[in-house]
Amino acid sequence: MADSVLLLRRGPSRSTWLRVRKARPQLILSRRPRRRLWTLRWSGRRRLRRRLLQAHAAGGDWPKAADPDPGPAPGPEPEPAASASGPQKLPGLSVRQLGPGRALLLLPAEQTFTFSGICRLTCLYGQVEVFGYIISQGQPAQDIFSTYTHAYLTINAIHYSMPEKSEKEIRKEARILLRSHLNLEDRCWSMKNFSPLCSIVMLERLKTSTVNFLTSYPGLSYIFTQEVTTFQINAEYLALRSVGIRKERRKKALNLSESALAALEELVSVSSEEADGCPVILVCGDQDVGKSTFNRYLINQLLNSIPCIDYLECDLGQTEFTPPGCISLLNVTEPVLGPPFTHQRTPQKMVYYGKPSCENNCENYIEIIKYVFSSYKRECPLIVNTMGWVADEGLLLLMDLIRLLSPTHVVQLHSSQSKYMASLTPDYVDDMDGLYTKSKSKVRNRGYELPEFADNLEFADEDKESPVLFTGHKLLSVYSEFSFRKTSRNRESHNRIFRELAVLGYLGQLLPAVPKSLSPLHGLTPYQVPFNAVALRIAHADVAPTHVLYAVNASWVGLCKILDDVRGYTKGPILLAQTPICDCLGFGICRGIDMEKRLYHILTPVPPEELRTVNCLLVGAISIPQCIFKSQRGPEGTIPYVTTDYNFKLPGASEKIGAREFNDTQEGKLYRRPRFYRKK
C-alpha cells in the first residue's frame, strides 16, 4: 500500500490512465465521467483510481453517471449473471481436495466446468458429458486430455432420469454410492453441498507412460499444463492444482454452432436406427475448419448409443489414430477425449503411404484407399476423414472419393476464414468430372456405365449387380465456429509439430507402464533383424542402391508384410524396385546397422508375435522428431546421429529430391541422416 501511495505522490503516471482505459469494457464507464477524468484534481484522481481498482478486484461494474431525467422509477434490477472467470462466480459449483492428487467436484444440473490439463475422471453420482461422451455413475474412469494445442474441454452436468423419490431417499442413495470412494469427513462435506440432480465427480492426477515420455523432452510439458500467474489463490485453485488441471474461461472451450449440433443430432439418429443400415459419413472441408474436432465429437456421441464405429483415415498429414503418412481403417470402441497424440491405436488395416501429402502421386493414393476400404465389413457406421486439399486437383480427387466410397451423408464444413468451396450436392457431384472419373452425363453419352478406374469398386459378392458409382447422398452443410490458432504463416509449422507429437505419442508405447521408471530410447534393447529377412524400399525418393543403407539408418521405418517371399537370399540387403501396396503392422526406429553381422537394430512397440510376419521395411518422408536426437538423456560427448560432415551430393540427400520435413541447423550441426553406420 505504501508503494502505491508513493507512486501517486509523484503525479499521475501513464500506467494509471492505461489501467483506466483497459478497465473500460469491464467497468462500463460512461462517456460523461471519462470526459471529466482529465479535469479532476490530484486528490480526485487518487480516489477514482482507488475505486476503480476496488471495483475491478471485486468483479463488479462501475456505476454509470446519473441521468438528469431519470423518468419513472425502474423495478428491482435482476442480479448480474455469474461469470466463469473466477471460482466464486459459479453458484453451486464446489471443489474439495481429497488428498494428494485427488479432488471432488460437485456440479449442479446444467452447470459447466472448463479446464486445462489432464486428469482421470470418475463419475460417482449422476451424469456428466465431456466432449459429447456421457459418463454415468458406475462406468469406468476416463482419461481426459484438455491440452493447450486444441480447444479446452468442458465437463457438463446433464439432466438424468430420476425416479419419484423424496429428497431424503436421494441423499441416502448418494451417501451409499460415495461410501466406497470417500471417507466420513468428505462424505459429510458432499452431503452438505448436495442438491437434487447434482453430479459428483472425482478427479485424479493422471500419469501414463505416454504422458511421461512427452513431458520428458524440454519444451513439451507446456502442452498439458500452462503455468500462468494468478492472484486468485484459494482452496479451489490449490485443489485443482494438486490434480494437475486449471480452471479456464468458458469462451476458451469448444463452441459448436447450431448447424453442427443439428448435423450431429441427425447423424446419431440415422446411425442408431437399424432399418437404415450402416451409414457411411464422409466429412470434408478446407484446411483448419474443424474436421477432426467434428469427427471426435461425432464418435463420442455415437458411442453413447452404439457399441462401435469404423473410422477410415484418408488424411495423410493429420491422422487421428496412427502416425502421419498412413491410410488406415480401425474399429473405435472407446471415446476420444483428447488430441491425436494421446490416443494412438492399432488399426485393423493400414498402409504406409510415406508422405504427408499426395499431390505428386494421386493415383497411388486412390489405389491404397481402395485396398483399405475393401476390409470394411459394413457392420457398423463408417466415418471417413478427408484431406483439407479442396482446391484445383484436390477438389477433383474429392469427387473421386465420393464416387468410390458412395457415402450416404456428406458433411461439408466451412467457416468465415476458409476458401470458397462449392456445395457438394448430389447433382453437383454427378455433373463434375473427377481426377480419374467422369461425370454421369459423359458416362451416359459414351454408352458405358463404369469407367476403367472403377473396375474394382464392388467389394462384396452380393453387391456386384448394384453399381456404387453414382448413388445419391445427403449433404449436411455445417458452419464452423471453432477457434483458429493457425494462420497462413504458421500453418506449416503447426502441422509439423502435430506430426511430431503423433510420432512421439506412438513411441511412448515403447516404455513400461507406470509406476516403473522412465527409460530413454537409447536404453531400450532393440530387435536384431538380419539383412536377408526383410526387403527395403525408399518410398519418397529415388536413392541409389549403394546409398540405401545410409537412408535407412536412423530413420522412421514402416514394418510391412508383402506377399512375395524374400527368403532365400544369402547376404542382402534386398531392395525392391517399386513401392508395394501392402499391410503395415506398425512402425519403428532403425537405431543402427551392424555391417559386420549384417543386422538391422529396430526399436518398435509392435509385439513379437506380429513381428514374425514382417518382411519389408518402408522408409518415407516422415522424420524422427528432432528432440529425440538433441535431447537424449545419458550419453555424454558426441550426440549419436548428429553430424556436421554431411554430403548433399548424395542421391536423395538434397533438399529438392526426397527432402525430410525439417532442415534446421543449430550450433553448426545439421540434423539429418548420418554418413556413418551406427552399431549396437
Side-chain angles (χ1 to χ4, degrees):
M1 186 65 184
D3 295 339
S4 62
V5 174
L6 291 176
L7 180 62
L8 289 172
R9 288 179 180 177
R10 296 192 208 105
S13 62
R14 183 173 178 82
S15 61
T16 304
W17 313 119
L18 289 177
R19 289 185 180 182
V20 172
R21 292 183 63 186
K22 290 181 179 180
R24 187 185 308 163
Q26 289 84 8
L27 303 180
I28 316 180
L29 286 170
S30 64
R31 295 183 179 179
R32 191 170 182 180
R34 285 204 302 269
R35 287 196 296 268
R36 292 179 177 180
L37 185 62
W38 295 93
T39 60
L40 294 177
R41 295 183 178 179
W42 175 82
S43 59
R45 287 195 295 267
R46 179 181 176 183
R47 288 193 298 269
L48 177 60
R49 179 177 181 274
R50 185 183 303 166
R51 295 175 66 185
L52 286 173
L53 295 177
Q54 291 176 355
H56 185 62
D61 293 338
W62 186 258
K64 296 184 179 180
D67 193 349
D69 188 14
E77 296 183 358
E79 296 182 359
S83 173
S85 58
Q88 298 180 357
K89 304 299 186 300
L90 294 175
L93 175 63
S94 303
V95 179
R96 177 181 176 85
Q97 185 172 355
L98 303 178
R102 299 172 69 238
L104 195 66
L105 178 65
L106 269 70
L107 283 172
E110 298 183 358
Q111 186 65 269
T112 62
F113 175 73
T114 304
F115 69 97
S116 62
I118 58 176
C119 65
R120 178 164 292 169
L121 184 147
T122 305
C123 185
L124 304 181
Y125 185 81
Q127 282 185 348
V128 294
E129 184 185 47
V130 181
F131 207 13
Y133 184 71
I134 297 177
I135 306 174
S136 305
Q137 62 188 40
Q139 290 185 355
Q142 297 293 337
D143 297 342
I144 303 177
F145 302 86
S146 182
T147 62
Y148 172 74
T149 56
H150 295 70
Y152 292 137
L153 301 184
T154 300
I155 303 176
N156 302 314
I158 59 178
H159 282 285
Y160 48 89
S161 58
M162 178 62 65
E164 296 182 359
K165 296 182 180 179
S166 62
E167 184 176 353
K168 183 177 180 180
E169 294 175 343
I170 296 176
R171 286 179 172 271
K172 182 179 179 180
E173 180 184 1
R175 192 181 296 108
I176 294 174
L177 293 174
L178 298 178
R179 187 172 299 170
S180 59
H181 301 277
L182 307 177
N183 56 29
L184 179 60
E185 183 180 357
D186 295 331
R187 292 201 304 271
C188 293
W189 177 87
S190 302
M191 291 298 100
K192 181 180 179 181
N193 297 274
F194 184 82
S195 61
L197 298 179
C198 177
S199 297
I200 304 177
V201 174
M202 183 173 64
L203 306 176
E204 299 175 281
R205 177 176 287 273
L206 178 61
K207 286 294 183 182
T208 63
S209 58
T210 301
V211 172
N212 294 342
F213 180 71
L214 287 172
T215 55
S216 64
Y217 291 99
L220 294 183
S221 60
Y222 77 95
I223 296 175
F224 300 112
T225 57
Q226 287 282 306
E227 294 296 336
V228 179
T229 304
T230 180
F231 299 98
Q232 297 180 350
I233 300 179
N234 49 22
E236 177 181 304
Y237 172 81
L238 296 176
L240 297 177
R241 185 177 182 180
S242 67
V243 177
I245 63 176
R246 185 166 55 88
K247 191 175 184 180
E248 299 289 348
R249 296 184 178 181
R250 184 65 179 89
K251 64 180 182 180
K252 295 183 178 181
L254 177 65
N255 185 23
L256 293 176
S257 61
E258 294 183 359
S259 58
L261 294 175
L264 289 169
E265 183 179 0
E266 180 174 352
L267 294 175
V268 171
S269 176
V270 171
S271 302
S272 302
E273 297 177 0
E274 298 182 358
D276 293 339
C278 298
V280 177
I281 305 167
L282 187 142
V283 182
C284 61
D286 198 6
Q287 296 179 347
D288 307 325
V289 295
K291 297 187 297 295
S292 299
T293 304
F294 182 87
N295 289 335
R296 295 187 205 111
Y297 203 94
L298 176 59
I299 289 174
N300 294 335
Q301 290 241 311
L302 290 175
L303 289 178
N304 292 328
S305 54
I306 58 179
C308 60
I309 304 104
D310 281 343
Y311 187 88
L312 178 61
E313 182 61 79
C314 299
D315 189 353
L316 296 170
Q318 303 297 327
T319 53
E320 185 67 34
F321 298 100
T322 64
C326 299
I327 297 174
S328 61
L329 175 69
L330 71 161
N331 189 260
V332 183
T333 58
E334 297 180 357
V336 182
L337 303 176
F341 55 87
T342 62
H343 49 253
Q344 294 290 299
R345 299 175 184 175
T346 303
Q348 62 190 64
K349 194 80 168 181
M350 177 172 61
V351 175
Y352 185 42
Y353 184 83
K355 299 178 184 179
S357 175
C358 68
E359 295 184 13
N360 298 327
N361 194 356
C362 296
E363 185 175 359
N364 190 35
Y365 172 78
I366 288 291
E367 293 296 329
I368 293 176
I369 291 180
K370 291 167 61 178
Y371 175 75
V372 175
F373 183 63
S374 63
S375 299
Y376 176 52
K377 304 302 182 182
R378 306 177 189 270
E379 297 176 352
C380 55
L382 175 66
I383 300 176
V384 182
N385 184 35
T386 60
M387 298 183 295
W389 181 32
V390 293
D392 302 329
E393 292 185 355
L395 181 60
L396 303 180
L397 190 63
L398 181 60
M399 299 295 170
D400 294 335
L401 284 182
I402 294 177
R403 291 172 179 151
L404 170 65
L405 304 178
S406 298
T408 58
H409 296 78
V410 173
V411 181
Q412 184 175 355
L413 282 80
H414 59 91
S415 67
S416 58
Q417 301 180 9
S418 61
K419 299 179 182 179
Y420 171 76
M421 181 179 176
S423 298
L424 302 180
T425 60
D427 295 337
Y428 181 84
V429 174
D430 289 343
D431 296 336
M432 279 288 295
D433 290 339
L435 196 60
Y436 299 101
T437 59
K438 299 299 181 181
S439 64
K440 189 174 183 179
S441 58
K442 291 185 178 180
V443 170
R444 288 177 177 175
N445 294 336
R446 293 185 180 183
Y448 60 88
E449 186 174 4
L450 297 177
E452 182 181 357
F453 167 75
D455 288 342
N456 299 323
L457 288 182
E458 298 86 358
F459 302 104
D461 295 337
E462 60 272 11
D463 297 334
K464 287 184 178 180
E465 300 299 330
S466 58
V468 295
L469 186 61
F470 295 118
T471 57
H473 63 266
K474 183 174 183 180
L475 177 64
L476 301 177
S477 181
V478 173
Y479 180 77
S480 175
E481 294 182 355
F482 302 122
S483 58
F484 301 94
R485 295 182 180 178
K486 297 181 186 179
T487 61
S488 58
R489 295 182 178 180
N490 63 9
R491 175 179 290 113
E492 185 59 32
S493 61
H494 273 71
N495 293 338
R496 186 183 70 251
I497 292 174
F498 289 156
R499 287 193 287 268
E500 292 183 352
L501 288 174
V503 172
L504 291 173
Y506 182 85
L507 291 177
Q509 304 175 20
L510 281 167
L511 305 179
V514 176
K516 293 185 179 181
S517 59
L518 181 66
S519 301
L521 292 182
H522 61 79
L524 302 177
T525 304
Y527 292 97
Q528 295 181 348
V529 183
F531 278 9
N532 59 357
V534 293
L536 295 180
R537 174 63 183 173
I538 310 300
H540 67 289
D542 294 330
V543 180
T546 55
H547 297 137
V548 169
L549 293 181
Y550 292 99
V552 176
N553 194 25
S555 295
W556 180 258
V557 295
L559 310 178
C560 304
K561 180 176 63 175
I562 60 178
L563 299 178
D564 298 334
D565 189 5
V566 299
R567 295 175 298 179
Y569 295 88
T570 56
K571 293 183 178 181
I574 306 170
L575 305 182
L576 297 178
Q578 296 180 351
T579 303
I581 298 179
C582 56
D583 293 345
C584 181
L585 304 183
F587 297 90
I589 296 178
C590 184
R591 176 181 166 180
I593 299 177
D594 192 336
M595 294 300 298
E596 296 178 0
K597 299 181 180 180
R598 310 188 73 80
L599 296 173
Y600 305 109
H601 297 293
I602 306 294
L603 279 175
T604 177
V606 178
E609 56 271 14
E610 295 185 10
L611 286 177
R612 294 188 180 96
T613 61
V614 173
N615 57 1
C616 178
L617 300 180
L618 292 182
V619 180
I622 308 302
S623 300
I624 300 174
Q626 297 183 22
C627 60
I628 293 181
F629 294 107
K630 296 158 53 178
S631 304
Q632 298 186 61
R633 298 184 304 166
E636 299 179 357
T638 304
I639 303 177
Y641 303 118
V642 177
T643 179
T644 57
D645 185 16
Y646 187 80
N647 188 0
F648 283 96
K649 296 182 180 179
L650 291 175
S654 65
E655 296 184 4
K656 296 182 180 179
I657 302 177
R660 294 302 181 100
E661 291 187 32
F662 57 87
N663 52 5
D664 298 338
T665 58
Q666 181 177 351
E667 299 180 359
K669 297 178 180 179
L670 195 68
Y671 302 99
R672 284 179 173 270
R673 293 173 297 225
R675 295 190 63 202
F676 55 88
Y677 295 126
R678 175 72 174 174
K679 296 182 181 181
K680 182 179 178 183

